[in-house]
Amino acid sequence: MEVQECDLNDLGFCGLKFTWKGQEMSSFGRVFQRLDKGFGNIQWHLKFQNAFIKVMPRVKCDHHPILVVLGGDG
């Protein structure tokens, strides 16, 4: 089932643009992607209007952890 079918919206993010990095490939370089995301439905957005995702520093992993911040201005 797709995200749109569940009426979920991406919470957006602040901080680093990508949350995952692939291995170094000699002919392709390194691949970076934003794989890790947070989603909410309309009721969630109404309850937590100032919420956002903060991309945290990566430690011993190829993924950056993400933190859901429920309020504040980032």
Side-chain angles (χ1 to χ4, degrees), residues 9-44:
N9 297 306
D10 190 334
L11 296 178
F13 67 98
C14 71
L16 299 168
K17 183 176 180 180
F18 303 110
T19 62
W20 174 82
K21 72 173 186 173
Q23 292 183 345
E24 187 81 34
M25 306 282 269
S26 59
S27 58
F28 297 107
R30 189 172 292 236
V31 176
F32 294 88
Q33 292 288 322
R34 182 173 171 242
L35 298 179
D36 306 288
K37 300 178 180 184
F39 295 91
N41 61 20
I42 190 67
Q43 292 84 7
W44 194 92

Side-chain angles (χ1 to χ4, degrees), residues 3-4 7 9 11 14 16 23 25 31-32 34 39 42 48 50 52 56-57 59 61 63 65 68 70-71:
V3 172
Q4 293 84 4
D7 292 324
N9 297 306
L11 296 178
C14 71
L16 299 168
Q23 292 183 345
M25 306 282 269
V31 176
F32 294 88
R34 182 173 171 242
F39 295 91
I42 190 67
F48 302 105
N50 296 321
F52 62 93
M56 306 299 288
V59 179
C61 184
H63 285 262
V68 179
L70 297 179

